[in-house]
């Protein structure tokens, strides 16, 4: 579509249809860029979560470390003296860390080597292999909860991106029809001014023959002046709306736009049950509800886990030392085992931790109540929107018929006035009805398309093609 729109650009003028305007908005508008930025942010947040589930390889070391200083030293009799430190050292460790999904602990596999040279003596200590487990007991399993929440959060972000894209579409339609209505108002004003001048000239001649009163002639002259004033205002509004649409679509100011009036869709029937099912299946709102439920449960589990803290740390491995060469540090290895259980159990906290649990549980109840209310509002909004769209199709037909009748009536009124069968009041009434009918026809067409794309935005479903609205997320993120 973008290629077609570009191909139509000749002499700084383009003919623009609604599909072409939507295609431009989805790629060039600031709103579309913001939506892509938010999607990329959510993508990298999800990638970070996935990376935390995988083994992490790291190397830590100090090379070199030189110490030439004084420090206090307590002697056997309890007195202190200052001694001089003079040594050179290096150390390095290679670690592999893996979070344990099932228990929420962490398992680490490491190997290290330390070297110190002091007073001319070389000292090596090796840890060829060491396996360490850090495991909280009775606490909340953060990894388990993140595995439940983060995938839903990313799916919500993708659905929100599609919804944002459809929101850009709705904004495009708003600007498109604002410009279209402004253009029609200019056309109406030009036609009214032309007719007013012609009728005044005819009435002026008929007045000379005594067929038109001075009052009617002045009324026609006033109508011509008002028509000129209206045309000036409408042209200003046209320029303003033209600039607004160009800015939104990122079109050059030197390019003029000629809008193509859209037709309504053929054979599109929409019922509430289908729309509700698609909305609950695809809309980010349903995922948002599920995520907030899980987050409130997570908050309660965290508060309960903080009632007491018990942590198991176990380290199993081997180590070796050498005072000569590095290779001897890997001979005659010795057992290097450390097991510890640390705990923190409040004896008297005046109900602080219990209170935190109650707060979390109360917040969960509030969240559940809000979600139920939001769900009811969501369902009600969908029902009303379906009713509006289905009703709008009939309203559009009636508006088009009224426009056609009003145009014919105005034309007949001009002809009747010219032969003196009606007065200026009847003519003005026909003109007002004609203008109102034309404006209402454009407005009803706008509401038809606006309601349609609003339904698409809520359901992420293309009712014309009967397919899901999707996007190539991998390609979007790479851009």
């Amino acid at each position: 579509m973008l290629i077609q729109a570009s191909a139509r650009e000749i002499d700084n003028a383009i003919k623009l249809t609604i599909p072409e305007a939507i295609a431009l908005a989805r790629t060039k508008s600031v709103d579309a860029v913001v939506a892509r930025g938010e999607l990329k942010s959510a993508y990298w947040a999800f990638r970070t979560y996935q990376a935390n589930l995988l083994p992490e390889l790291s190397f830590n070391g100090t090379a070199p470390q030189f110490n030439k200083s004084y420090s206090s030293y307590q002697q056997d009799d309890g007195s202190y003296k200052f001694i001089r430190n003079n040594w050179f050292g290096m150390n390095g460790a290679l670690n592999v860390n893996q979070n344990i999904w099932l228990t929420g602990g962490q398992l680490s596999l490491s190997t290290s080597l330390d070297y110190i040279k002091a007073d001319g003596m070389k000292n090596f200590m090796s840890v060829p292999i060491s396996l360490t487990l850090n495991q909280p007991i009775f606490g909340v399993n953060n990894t388990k909860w993140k595995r439940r929440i983060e995938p839903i959060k990313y799916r919500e972000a993708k659905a929100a991106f599609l919804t944002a894209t459809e929101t850009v579409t709705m904004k495009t339609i708003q600007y498109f029809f604002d410009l279209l209505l402004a253009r029609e108002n200019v056309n109406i004003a030009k036609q009214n001014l032309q007719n007013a001048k012609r009728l005044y000239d005819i009435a002026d001649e008929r007045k000379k023959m005594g067929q038109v009163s001075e009052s009617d002639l002045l009324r026609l002259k006033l109508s011509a002046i008002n028509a000129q004033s209206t045309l000036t205002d409408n042209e200003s509004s046209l320029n303003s709306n033209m600039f607004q649409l160009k800015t939104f679509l990122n079109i050059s100011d030197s390019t003029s736009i000629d809008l193509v009036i859209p037709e309504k869709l053929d054979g599109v029937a929409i019922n509430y049950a289908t729309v509700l099912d698609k909305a609950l299946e695809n809309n980010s709102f349903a995922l948002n509800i599920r995520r907030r439920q899980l987050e409130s449960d997570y908050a309660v589990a965290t508060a309960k886990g903080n009632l007491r803290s018990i942590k198991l740390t176990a380290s199993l491995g081997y180590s070796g030392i050498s005072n000569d060469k590095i290779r001897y540090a890997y001979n005659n290895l010795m057992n290097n085992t450390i097991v510890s259980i640390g705990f923190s159990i409040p004896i008297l906290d005046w109900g602080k931790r219990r209170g935190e649990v109650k707060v979390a549980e109360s917040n969960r109840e509030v969240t559940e109540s809000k979600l139920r209310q939001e769900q009811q509002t969501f369902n009600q909004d969908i029902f009303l929107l379906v009713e509006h769209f289905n009703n709008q199709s009939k309203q559009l037909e009636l508006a088009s018929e009224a426009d056609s009748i009003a145009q014919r009536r105005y034309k007949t009124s001009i002809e009747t006035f010219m032969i003196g069968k009606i007065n200026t009041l009847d003519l003005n009434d026909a003109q007002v009805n004609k203008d109102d009918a034309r404006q209402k026809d454009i407005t009803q067409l706008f509401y038809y398309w606006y309601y349609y794309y609003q339904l698409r935005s809520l359901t992420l479903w293309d009712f014309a093609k009967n397919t899901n609205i999707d996007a190539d997320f991998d390609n979007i993120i790479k851009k």
Side-chain angles (χ1 to χ4, degrees), residues 52 56 96 133 138 173 182 210 227 235 239 255 269 272 294 314 364 406 423 433 449 466:
N52 287 331
E56 179 180 332
V96 179
L133 172 67
F138 302 123
I173 292 173
E235 286 176 338
N239 293 332
T255 302
Y272 170 70
L294 287 174
R364 179 171 61 181
N423 57 28
N433 289 336
W449 283 103
N466 284 325

Side-chain angles (χ1 to χ4, degrees), residues 392-406 436-445:
Q392 195 59 32
S393 181
K394 183 62 176 177
Q395 291 291 339
L396 182 57
E397 293 178 3
L398 294 174
S400 298
E401 184 179 359
D403 180 37
S404 177
I405 293 173
D436 289 345
R438 184 56 182 161
Q439 291 169 350
K440 187 175 182 180
D441 188 26
I442 297 296
T443 301
Q444 295 298 336
L445 184 60

Side-chain angles (χ1 to χ4, degrees), residues 21 112 124 139 141 150 161 206 248 252-253 275 288 295 479:
S112 65
F124 296 92
N141 187 339
E150 293 299 327
F161 169 77
R206 290 177 58 192
F248 184 69
S252 172
D253 290 340
V275 172
N288 176 272
E295 287 177 343
K479 290 182 178 179

Side-chain angles (χ1 to χ4, degrees), residues 130-327:
S130 176
L131 186 65
T132 303
L133 172 67
N134 291 301
Q135 178 61 58
I137 301 174
F138 302 123
V140 63
N141 187 339
N142 294 302
T143 304
K144 181 189 74 172
W145 282 101
K146 287 182 179 180
R147 289 189 68 196
R148 299 175 64 184
I149 293 173
E150 293 299 327
I152 294 178
K153 185 183 292 186
Y154 183 49
R155 287 172 54 202
E156 179 187 356
K158 291 196 290 187
F161 169 77
L162 295 175
T163 300
T165 302
E166 293 300 309
T167 302
V168 169
T169 297
M170 293 163 59
K171 201 169 183 179
T172 305
I173 292 173
Q174 178 73 62
Y175 291 154
F176 186 95
F177 276 93
D178 284 347
L179 179 56
L180 185 61
L181 183 59
R183 188 189 70 179
E184 290 300 313
N185 287 336
V186 168
N187 292 337
I188 290 171
K190 287 181 178 178
Q191 182 189 35
N192 291 342
L193 178 59
Q194 180 182 0
N195 290 338
K197 288 181 177 179
R198 184 162 63 97
L199 292 173
Y200 175 77
D201 292 339
I202 294 173
D204 189 37
E205 293 297 325
R206 290 177 58 192
K207 181 180 180 301
K208 295 176 182 178
M209 297 183 291
Q211 297 177 349
V212 174
S213 67
E214 180 71 18
S215 176
D216 286 341
L217 182 63
L218 292 175
R219 187 179 290 115
L220 288 173
K221 186 173 183 179
L222 183 60
S223 296
I225 294 174
N226 290 336
Q228 182 66 61
S229 176
T230 301
L231 176 59
T232 302
D233 289 341
N234 289 346
E235 286 176 338
S236 176
S237 178
L238 175 65
N239 293 332
S240 175
N241 284 284
M242 179 75 74
F243 180 80
Q244 188 177 45
L245 182 61
K246 286 180 182 178
T247 301
F248 184 69
L249 299 181
N250 198 19
I251 296 175
S252 172
D253 290 340
S254 61
T255 302
S256 63
I257 299 175
D258 183 15
L259 301 182
V260 179
I261 299 178
E263 300 290 338
K264 77 170 188 175
L265 299 170
D266 292 330
V268 176
I270 296 177
N271 62 77
Y272 170 70
T274 301
V275 172
L276 182 60
D277 288 343
K278 295 300 180 184
L280 295 177
E281 178 182 347
N282 301 329
N283 193 280
S284 61
F285 174 76
L287 295 170
N288 176 272
I289 285 180
R290 180 56 181 156
R291 174 181 60 80
R292 288 160 64 188
Q293 287 174 334
L294 287 174
E295 287 177 343
S296 62
D297 292 339
Y298 180 28
V300 172
T302 301
K304 289 181 177 180
N306 291 336
L307 288 174
R308 56 191 179 277
S309 176
I310 301 176
K311 184 177 182 180
L312 168 66
T313 300
S315 179
L316 306 174
Y318 295 92
S319 63
I321 58 175
S322 171
N323 296 326
D324 187 10
K325 296 183 179 180
I326 187 173
R327 68 174 180 271

Side-chain angles (χ1 to χ4, degrees), residues 27-70:
T27 56
K28 292 188 175 184
S29 70
V30 175
D31 296 46
V33 174
V34 170
R36 288 196 295 271
E38 291 175 346
L39 175 65
K40 290 180 181 180
S41 177
Y43 168 77
W44 287 111
F46 183 68
R47 281 289 303 271
T48 301
Y49 147 75
Q50 289 181 315
N52 287 331
L53 300 179
L54 301 175
E56 179 180 332
L57 177 63
S58 63
F59 178 76
N60 304 317
T62 302
Q65 182 177 8
F66 179 70
N67 190 337
K68 191 174 184 179
S69 63
Y70 286 90

